[in-house]
Amino acid sequence: MHRSITLAAVVAVAIGALTAVAAPANAAPKAPRAGSPAVLAEHLAGPLTFGIAANGTITVGQSFLGEVTRLAGGTSTTLSQGPDSTGVSVLGPTVTWSERAGDEQSIEGSWLKSSGPAGDTSIDLLAWEQANNPDADSWYGFESISDDCAATLPPFVQARYQGLVDTHAYGTLALPGATYVADSGMNAVLKVVGDDVSTVAVLPPQPLVVTDEMRAVGEVEGQPILLDECVVGLTYDAEPVPTDVEMGTDGMLYVSTLPGAPGLGFPTGSVYRIDPATGDYALVATGFAGATGLAVAPNGTIYVSEMFGGKVSAITRDGSVSTFAEVDSPAGVEWQSGKLVVSTGVFGDGNIVSYPVKG
């Protein structure tokens, strides 16, 4: 099952028509447009997440290399080496990131780390997940399936199950006094203050109606593994899989999700708004082809990277969705002083590119 974003997991293809949940507005804001891009960094190995300081210093998690790297003044400095280094965010001179050991089927360890003038910290997220498992009461899998149809499922596809023990802090947001975590394994958003970890919200399962195309759940020696035709038309409740978290000027958290389904399913990515004080959440927009990162501009526009759609989309305050820029396999997205900074080409020779925002 798809439990977290790993190198094996992100080869899935996502499709879906864009759907937005409109928010009230006095006047429809203009859709932003991308200016000519400028390359800030090149030749990166899986730059899934990064942080950018006010002075332009970039700290990037090279996930496929297992390294957190600082890029400044034309030089590259290795800050840390560890498995599946992602979840990078910066707050002044302090860098926060995550590491995860294991694969899609099992987890060996998960840590939230930081390094700065106050010293280095490491929080054992796997131990916390084993003790708390915030999505334990959530149900995933087929909402209704006959015994005969369930008997045809391969061993790695569970017909119906509750939240499993897993954790991957794929996205982090370091703020003064607290760090928020989009954990794609826990299917939850966390708040970390010092050594204390708490649940902000558990996001809901994402219902998908199985099509004939979704029957492909893997392959052996080049031959596809197909689910039986009996599953076509059934509703499958996919795990929400949070991928990034940011805070808007309204004080609300905004979270991107990449619903997890078996094998090469067709998840529909979404963006949620979460009240950090109450945990109440609302759907902002859905239909993104691989929502793996987001950024919130000061005017409230939300930018969403569509890793499998080859673009970055923009959601304006009235809920309208438009294409901001066509981008090769985008992942991380950050806002900086009127520009949108995006990591691109994350499956090959990765770059970090800055786009001036017009409109």
Side-chain angles (χ1 to χ4, degrees):
M1 291 303 300
H2 184 135
R3 289 292 300 167
S4 62
I5 308 286
T6 63
L7 177 57
V10 293
V11 298
V13 178
I15 62 172
L18 284 171
T19 303
V21 179
N26 294 327
K30 293 182 178 180
R33 297 175 290 109
S36 299
V39 177
L40 304 182
E42 299 178 287
H43 312 310
L44 302 171
L48 299 181
T49 64
F50 67 93
I52 183 165
N55 65 0
T57 297
I58 297 171
T59 305
V60 57
Q62 298 193 72
S63 179
F64 305 159
L65 185 62
E67 179 177 300
V68 178
T69 312
R70 176 174 287 154
L71 309 172
T75 63
S76 174
T77 304
T78 299
L79 300 184
S80 175
Q81 291 183 311
D84 199 9
S85 298
T86 50
V88 174
S89 60
V90 296
L91 179 63
T94 299
V95 178
T96 298
W97 74 96
S98 67
E99 297 175 4
R100 183 186 189 277
D103 54 29
E104 279 198 84
Q105 303 301 324
S106 62
I107 180 169
E108 299 169 4
S110 178
W111 305 269
L112 180 67
K113 297 188 174 185
S114 69
S115 180
D120 298 341
T121 66
S122 180
I123 294 176
D124 189 338
L125 291 178
L126 177 56
W128 189 87
E129 161 74 346
Q130 290 170 333
N132 297 275
N133 192 10
D135 75 332
D137 293 331
S138 297
W139 283 93
Y140 309 111
F142 295 98
E143 290 186 358
S144 179
I145 186 171
S146 69
D147 291 342
D148 289 343
C149 189
T152 69
L153 299 176
F156 59 87
V157 178
Q158 299 182 61
R160 192 73 171 163
Y161 65 100
Q162 290 178 273
L164 306 174
V165 171
D166 189 19
T167 165
H168 185 187
Y170 185 84
T172 71
L173 172 63
L175 298 175
T179 296
Y180 291 95
V181 176
D183 197 296
S184 64
M186 296 186 199
N187 295 312
V189 176
L190 310 177
K191 181 179 181 180
V192 180
V193 179
D195 294 331
D196 181 63
V197 182
S198 59
T199 302
V200 176
V202 177
L203 293 176
Q206 308 291 282
L208 305 171
V209 177
V210 180
T211 66
D212 189 64
E213 292 175 299
M214 293 185 193
R215 291 172 56 211
V217 294
E219 63 177 42
V220 175
E221 297 180 350
Q223 298 300 311
I225 301 174
L226 300 177
L227 299 182
D228 190 87
E229 292 180 352
C230 65
V231 303
V232 175
L234 300 182
T235 298
Y236 185 94
D237 290 330
E239 300 180 33
V241 190
T243 54
D244 199 7
V245 55
E246 298 290 348
M247 180 172 282
T249 55
D250 57 359
M252 297 293 106
L253 297 175
Y254 292 85
V255 178
S256 54
T257 69
L258 177 66
L264 303 181
F266 293 82
T268 300
S270 301
V271 173
Y272 286 88
R273 180 189 298 108
I274 301 176
D275 186 332
T278 64
D280 293 338
Y281 57 79
L283 180 66
V284 176
T286 190
F288 301 103
T292 51
L294 85 168
V296 185
N299 68 356
T301 298
I302 303 167
Y303 296 88
V304 185
S305 62
E306 298 193 52
M307 180 181 286
F308 311 132
K311 62 182 178 180
V312 174
S313 290
I315 312 168
T316 50
R317 295 190 310 275
D318 66 342
S320 300
V321 180
S322 63
T323 297
F324 172 74
E326 302 286 345
V327 181
D328 174 30
S329 303
V333 184
E334 297 292 337
W335 177 268
Q336 189 202 38
S337 302
K339 297 180 180 181
L340 195 70
V341 185
V342 185
S343 60
T344 73
V346 296
F347 299 118
D349 190 14
N351 299 323
I352 294 179
V353 179
S354 175
Y355 291 89
V357 177
K358 299 180 178 182

